[in-house]
Amino acid sequence: MREATAGTGLAVARHRRRIEVESDAGERLSCIAPRRLDVLCGDRVRWRRERDGTCVVAKTLPRETLLTRIDNRGRAEPVAANLTQLVAVVAAAPAPDWLLLDRYLAAAELMGIEAAVVYNKRDLAPQPGRLADYARIGYAVVSTSVADGTGLEALARLLARGRSALVGQSGVGKSSLLNALVGDGVQAVGALAAKGRHGRHTTTTAVLHGLPGGGEIVDMPGVRQYAPYLGGTADVARGFRELAPYLGRCRFADCRHRAEPDCAVKAAVESGAVTPERYESYLKLVEVAGPARRE
Ligand code: GDP
Ligand code: ZN
């Protein structure tokens, strides 16, 4: 049988211009992407095999979702395509950075994807009471320990629902969780893609791992500790799902829910419907958000 000369597939690993594509027929293709194409892990692509056998990514197909982070010049930079879930990891140690957690959750809301919270290193200290607030507003919260195996099955079930990225502070155990979930065999995909053209030691930018229990994880150093892009101040409120019933109910249509009179959000905080901690995060994130995004 002759090899297919073109088709569609999924970008499963990326190292600079070299993209590993899993064709729809299940074949693993090592492709080159032209400079003008920005191919991200998770992108659906159209590929083509040239006469000399080399494979080329001809185009990327439209994305359902796009994860962007803020690069070191303060600009939004695309990092992963077609994620369906962001899994924010906090741990017994280092102490949870609640603002960062709220920032990840807000980013997921604004992307229109699911989000969940993992509390890792459960073996060191029990789950902090504050995590119950997240369950109360509808986020799945799973306690895990890579050290003793607690919660890993529950996490695998959570991840089976789609294509996720594990995000969170350095040291919370993201790599450890990934290794525990993926196992060594699947990790080899990344190692393969990391072998540079000139045999130099290079690191893979991004890899998509299939999980034994279903679902996929996008792993990339840039995503693990990223500062998500939140858009303008008006967008930030939409990043807090429990504020949804109150938005549009303030006296001023452009209320930022800070010191304005007759603010429905502040009233919800005062009545206890919204926790002061989450509201505090909202106020801090509004500070760092950029100017309003033009619709
Ligand atoms: P990452 O920076 O988020 O990828 O974190 P790592 O996976 O590199 O883990 C940081 C440190 O925490 C390592 O020394 C791990 O062995 C340790 N660690 C990870 N998960 C657990 C856990 O569940 N319990 C304990 N006690 N230590 C853990
Ligand atoms: Zn308001």
Side-chain angles (χ1 to χ4, degrees):
M1 201 184 82
R2 274 191 59 200
E3 284 183 315
T5 54
T8 50
L10 175 67
V12 294
R14 167 184 153 181
H15 175 69
R16 301 214 180 112
R17 313 286 350 145
R18 185 161 289 280
I19 312 290
E20 298 274 319
V21 173
E22 192 171 286
S23 78
D24 292 344
E27 195 185 353
R28 183 67 66 131
L29 307 166
S30 183
C31 299
I32 295 292
R35 200 161 288 279
R36 69 186 156 77
L37 265 194
D38 189 22
V39 184
L40 300 175
C41 233
D43 260 328
R44 297 271 313 149
V45 302
R46 177 158 283 284
W47 56 270
R48 188 181 66 233
R49 205 189 304 266
E50 308 284 26
R51 270 168 206 276
D52 65 4
T54 57
C55 287
V56 175
V57 176
K59 67 183 278 193
T60 54
L61 303 180
R63 291 167 181 154
E64 304 263 324
T65 67
L66 180 61
L67 179 69
T68 43
R69 69 165 179 179
I70 302 168
D71 70 12
N72 43 26
R73 287 191 220 160
R75 293 175 313 193
E77 176 195 11
V79 283
N82 300 324
L83 287 181
T84 64
Q85 177 169 254
L86 216 51
V87 176
V89 185
V90 294
D97 179 339
W98 301 104
L99 179 62
L100 187 64
L101 172 60
D102 289 334
R103 188 170 185 155
Y104 287 130
L105 297 178
E109 295 295 332
L110 295 170
M111 280 171 71
I113 65 173
E114 269 302 331
V117 182
V118 169
Y119 173 70
N120 188 40
K121 309 197 191 183
R122 171 72 184 73
D123 54 293
L124 299 182
Q127 189 174 297
R130 190 161 167 179
L131 280 172
D133 294 344
Y134 292 89
R136 218 169 289 128
I137 55 175
Y139 290 110
V141 178
V142 177
S143 273
T144 59
S145 166
V146 180
D148 66 18
T150 306
L152 294 179
E153 271 177 35
L155 178 57
R157 276 196 300 278
L158 186 76
L159 294 168
R161 66 186 187 180
R163 181 177 298 155
S164 311
L166 294 181
V167 297
Q169 282 163 276
S170 181
V172 291
K174 298 176 299 294
S175 319
S176 308
L177 286 166
L178 185 68
N179 286 333
L181 291 160
V182 172
D184 295 337
V186 193
Q187 284 281 53
V189 176
L192 203 128
K195 244 181 249 156
R197 206 152 52 99
H198 306 292
R200 273 180 306 198
H201 180 73
T202 47
T203 43
T204 303
T205 321
V207 182
L208 189 69
H209 298 284
L211 299 172
E216 295 160 348
I217 287 189
V218 175
D219 183 37
M220 48 189 303
V223 159
R224 290 185 198 161
Q225 282 128 296
Y226 85 125
Y229 178 67
L230 291 180
T233 51
D235 299 309
V236 176
R238 288 192 295 110
F240 288 73
R241 58 166 59 170
E242 72 274 39
L243 297 187
Y246 313 105
L247 301 183
R249 292 172 174 257
C250 303
R251 185 201 289 183
F252 301 111
D254 63 349
C255 186
R256 293 294 171 260
H257 325 301
R258 289 182 286 207
E260 296 90 338
D262 293 334
C263 169
V265 168
K266 272 194 297 169
V269 177
E270 274 148 33
S271 77
V274 170
T275 68
E277 290 85 2
R278 288 270 292 171
Y279 178 61
E280 188 75 13
S281 287
Y282 163 76
L283 292 177
K284 287 188 179 145
L285 291 180
V286 164
E287 289 291 315
V288 299
R293 192 182 346 209
R294 278 193 215 139
E295 302 291 333

